[in-house]
Amino acid sequence: MDPRIEAHAELLVDHCTDVQPGDHVVVNAPAEAPDLETALYEKIGERGAIPIGLSMPARAMRAYAEAVDVDDIQMAEHALALVEETDVLIGVRASSNVSEMSGLDPEDMQAFAKVQKPIQDAQMECRWVGTQYPAAGNAQKAEMGTDEYADFVYDAIDKDWDAQREFQAQLVDILEDADEVHIVSGDETDVTMSVAGNVPVNDDADNNMPGGEVFTAPVPDSVEGTVKFDKPVMGLGREIQGASLEFEDGEVVHHDADQNADVLAGIIGTDEGAKRVGELGIGMNRDIDRFTYNMLFDEKMGDTVHLALGRAYERCIGEGNEQNESATHKDMIVDMSEDSYIEVDGEVVQRDGTFVFEDGFEE
């Protein structure tokens, strides 16, 4: 077995989820990731925890989605019961076909998302982590050879996470007592939002492996302006290109896309919370240096900002502030590498992708 897979499993059960003796652990891994699943079971066994495996093949899920009547879609009560008895949830992504869910009716997918929200809420109560195994389908979408993609994945994962945390802590300090964030990129992105009272989180790969961002939640009704997401985003197996949003009083009042605008409309139409921003994230993992159509990596890229429509993470919400609730959480990326800046309370803290605390920053 590739020693990098062993190291990956070790990080997942120690650094990310702190698996303890007697913990009930769910490992949700697809057939495309057998080596990592095996290594995880070994590490879980060494720690005296109790694993159970799940697999939800995308092809089988598509067959179900096409066969079921939308009026018969209900929450999986047995899945909720399992999650409620789970201490640790480890989710592994790997695909032989990243477009398996392409072409499904967005309204049907909204119905699935809505009924699954209680399960999502229960998962947030676990010690959880999501990660990527370098499968051939993901490599193909990233336009890399399989071995090249594996190197890319493990370069982003095999890091000094203590050092990464210290680097990111400098941005956390800036956002800690901030009121307003202003983001400008080119001629098409000019958006402001309040983060007053909310908590900036230093993502050193506890819930995501790889980590490498600082994120928080805007006050839901505070987002104003326009955003052009110049990186594609995948939705229902389809590629949304050139998504643009206009906000007033925190809600999307206009939306469009150069490609698959109907999928974007379906995401926004999931519920009322999907019209508002639940997360502001700023990428800081410099070992993720290219776009790969995989949000687990892409949102962590240095020189990027992402906004997520929908659910806000509870850990970001300050006392007395409102948490945006939704059955969806869809991240979308703005390239900040040129003709761009981030202001916090009127002070520029990043220009053209370089932070104020990095060499090369220009006022």
Side-chain angles (χ1 to χ4, degrees):
M1 183 181 294
D2 187 331
R4 297 177 299 181
I5 297 175
E6 295 272 0
H8 190 183
E10 192 94 32
L11 280 168
L12 293 171
V13 300
D14 285 343
H15 177 83
C16 301
T17 58
D18 189 27
V19 172
Q20 296 294 314
D23 275 346
H24 294 95
V25 183
V26 170
V27 178
N28 188 344
E32 290 86 352
D35 290 345
L36 181 55
E37 186 173 24
T38 298
L40 282 168
Y41 269 72
E42 179 182 26
K43 304 303 179 188
I44 291 166
E46 289 172 355
R47 285 150 186 80
I50 307 157
I52 186 171
L54 295 180
S55 177
M56 293 183 286
R59 188 177 178 190
M61 290 302 297
R62 182 191 180 97
Y64 176 75
E66 290 178 328
V68 70
D69 189 297
V70 67
D71 294 330
D72 293 332
I73 296 172
Q74 300 180 43
M75 184 186 69
E77 297 280 357
H78 48 320
L80 177 60
L82 173 63
V83 174
E84 289 178 338
E85 294 298 322
T86 296
D87 299 303
V88 174
L89 176 60
I90 300 173
V92 179
R93 305 178 187 182
S95 180
S96 56
N97 180 4
V98 298
S99 299
E100 191 66 68
M101 305 301 281
S102 178
L104 293 174
D105 187 334
E107 291 188 6
D108 289 352
M109 294 301 98
Q110 288 175 35
F112 276 108
K114 288 175 183 177
V115 300
Q116 297 304 317
K117 187 174 183 300
I119 298 174
Q120 295 173 354
D121 292 343
Q123 289 172 343
M124 294 297 106
E125 300 300 316
C126 301
R127 304 198 303 279
W128 63 272
V129 64
T131 196
Q132 179 71 47
Y133 179 81
N138 303 102
Q140 184 177 38
K141 186 63 180 176
E143 299 182 349
M144 297 186 207
T146 305
D147 291 342
E148 180 189 8
Y149 184 65
D151 291 341
F152 166 79
V153 167
Y154 290 122
D155 283 348
I157 285 171
D158 187 15
K159 292 173 64 72
D160 182 340
W161 288 107
D162 290 336
Q164 183 71 23
R165 182 175 183 82
E166 289 179 12
F167 171 60
Q168 294 171 181
Q170 299 171 94
L171 181 57
V172 171
D173 289 343
I174 291 171
L175 292 172
E176 201 108 54
D177 298 312
D179 288 324
E180 184 179 83
V181 177
H182 182 200
I183 299 166
V184 174
S185 181
D187 298 327
E188 296 180 286
T189 293
D190 189 340
V191 63
T192 60
M193 64 199 70
S194 171
V195 294
N198 279 345
V199 179
V201 176
N202 190 336
D203 169 29
D204 66 341
D206 53 354
N207 292 140
N208 286 331
M209 177 55 79
E213 63 171 305
V214 171
F215 64 94
T216 188
V219 175
D221 63 359
S222 72
V223 183
E224 298 279 349
T226 57
V227 186
K228 178 76 169 187
F229 297 100
D230 38 25
K231 296 295 185 184
V233 61
M234 298 298 292
L236 306 180
R238 294 160 69 187
E239 187 177 317
I240 303 169
Q241 288 269 14
S244 60
L245 303 175
E246 181 180 349
F247 293 91
E248 291 180 6
D249 298 325
E251 289 198 352
V252 175
V253 294
H254 180 74
H255 55 84
D256 201 359
D258 299 334
Q259 178 179 307
N260 288 322
D262 60 325
V263 179
L264 177 63
I267 292 165
I268 294 169
T270 301
D271 48 37
E272 286 302 307
K275 299 174 184 175
R276 305 199 294 184
V277 176
E279 179 193 355
L280 162 65
I282 301 172
M284 300 185 71
N285 188 333
R286 298 295 190 196
D287 287 312
I288 302 174
D289 58 1
R290 67 183 86 180
F291 183 79
T292 61
Y293 292 90
N294 183 336
M295 194 58 68
L296 182 64
F297 291 80
D298 297 338
E299 69 175 4
K300 313 302 186 338
M301 281 192 298
D303 307 349
T304 65
V305 161
H306 59 277
L307 301 179
L309 290 176
R311 184 178 64 256
Y313 295 121
E314 185 177 0
R315 65 197 292 197
C316 295
I317 308 303
E319 185 176 354
N321 279 8
E322 178 187 356
Q323 179 181 358
N324 194 46
E325 298 281 358
S326 177
T328 192
H329 180 97
K330 179 56 69 175
D331 295 292
M332 294 184 283
I333 295 173
V334 179
D335 184 350
M336 300 293 290
S337 61
E338 58 184 32
D339 196 19
S340 303
Y341 61 88
I342 303 172
E343 283 183 344
V344 177
D345 294 336
E347 297 289 330
V348 176
V349 302
Q350 187 201 73
R351 187 179 298 280
D352 297 341
T354 303
F355 292 101
V356 66
F357 44 79
E358 289 185 293
D359 293 339
F361 176 79
E362 297 181 2
E363 290 286 351

